[in-house]
Amino acid sequence: LPPGRSYTILGGLPPEPTDENDTINQTQKSNPNNNAKIITTTLRHFQNRQIRLQTQSREKHTGRLSMAGTLWEAGPVLADYVTNPACPLHSFRRMRVHADSDGNVVLPAHPPTTVVELGSGVGLASMAAAFLGCRVFGTDGALSSVELLKENFGRYDGEFNEGAKPKGLLLEWGDSEAVRELIERELEGCFPDVVMASDVVYAHSAREELT
């Protein structure tokens, strides 16, 4: 991470539910080929909006087990944190869409928060930030995972605000040239406002690559 900048590391438990029905739910439906599954999960802070996500048990190009193709438990927790109206991180809270006294939808007048997610997997947290209106770049280190990411983004392409459609990009941790290209080409030379990740340090080797 570049010196001279401040960063927020998120951790701990999600905010407490406000009522007995205010929970994070998910169901899944298997595809007959046993490699692909459709996961349905709920963004509770978007009127309990249900999101359908394609997952995969194996990488399409290599046949290896697909870690990125799974919706891990921390993904819905991060999505819930990002979209919570009481989110303590101002970069997300300031993006809330609200209604004026006449009931008209009011979009934030300021430039959108720029978000880069590392190890996006199936893309739930990136989509949650994009639904807020953030400018989102979901990244992963495997080509088939990025294809899966783009597929899930594409399912809701018409529902993101103009200029806030998330992008799926290939990014290998530890590749400083790829990071430089991301900043210069996609972020127009600026650092992102938020770098977020969930369930990405289960392998000890990943911890060194993330520094």
Side-chain angles (χ1 to χ4, degrees), residues 26 39-41 53 55 67-76 122-125:
Q26 66 182 62
I39 295 288
T40 301
T41 190
L53 298 167
T55 68
M67 303 299 288
T70 300
L71 180 60
W72 298 99
E73 292 180 356
V122 295
L124 177 61

Side-chain angles (χ1 to χ4, degrees), residues 5-17:
R5 291 177 60 84
S6 60
Y7 296 88
T8 301
I9 299 176
L10 308 179
L13 298 174
E16 289 294 326

Side-chain angles (χ1 to χ4, degrees), residues 138-176:
T139 71
D140 216 291
L143 180 59
S144 64
S145 298
V146 175
E147 292 173 353
L148 184 63
L149 193 59
K150 291 180 178 179
E151 180 180 341
N152 283 328
F153 290 166
R155 286 174 180 268
Y156 298 91
D157 188 68
E159 300 183 37
F160 297 112
N161 294 334
E162 192 61 35
K165 296 181 179 181
K167 288 187 177 181
L169 303 171
L170 185 68
L171 181 65
E172 187 74 30
W173 299 343
D175 187 342
S176 57

Side-chain angles (χ1 to χ4, degrees), residues 5-67:
R5 291 177 60 84
S6 60
Y7 296 88
T8 301
I9 299 176
L10 308 179
L13 298 174
E16 289 294 326
T18 56
D19 60 58
E20 62 181 2
N21 296 317
D22 199 9
T23 56
I24 304 172
N25 302 310
Q26 66 182 62
T27 58
Q28 64 182 33
K29 181 179 180 181
S30 298
N31 189 289
N33 64 18
N34 205 32
N35 179 52
K37 290 181 180 178
I38 296 292
I39 295 288
T40 301
T41 190
T42 303
L43 292 178
R44 61 177 180 157
H45 298 300
F46 278 93
Q47 293 79 44
N48 284 325
R49 168 68 183 277
Q50 288 195 330
I51 303 296
R52 289 168 56 83
L53 298 167
Q54 181 77 38
T55 68
Q56 62 185 16
S57 59
R58 294 190 176 276
E59 298 284 351
K60 181 166 54 177
H61 301 293
T62 65
R64 294 181 300 184
L65 289 175
S66 177
M67 303 299 288

Side-chain angles (χ1 to χ4, degrees), residues 71-176:
L71 180 60
W72 298 99
E73 292 180 356
V77 173
L78 180 57
D80 182 75
Y81 179 93
V82 165
T83 56
N84 193 321
C87 178
L89 199 61
H90 179 66
S91 296
F92 290 124
R93 196 172 63 251
R94 75 189 186 101
M95 294 303 300
R96 296 295 302 181
V97 175
H98 62 280
D100 62 17
S101 57
D102 295 324
N104 299 312
V105 174
V106 179
L107 298 176
H110 42 69
T113 292
T114 302
V115 177
V116 172
E117 184 180 16
L118 304 178
S120 299
V122 295
L124 177 61
S126 283
M127 290 173 66
F131 279 129
L132 275 182
C134 297
R135 185 177 174 223
V136 181
F137 301 88
T139 71
D140 216 291
L143 180 59
S144 64
S145 298
V146 175
E147 292 173 353
L148 184 63
L149 193 59
K150 291 180 178 179
E151 180 180 341
N152 283 328
F153 290 166
R155 286 174 180 268
Y156 298 91
D157 188 68
E159 300 183 37
F160 297 112
N161 294 334
E162 192 61 35
K165 296 181 179 181
K167 288 187 177 181
L169 303 171
L170 185 68
L171 181 65
E172 187 74 30
W173 299 343
D175 187 342
S176 57

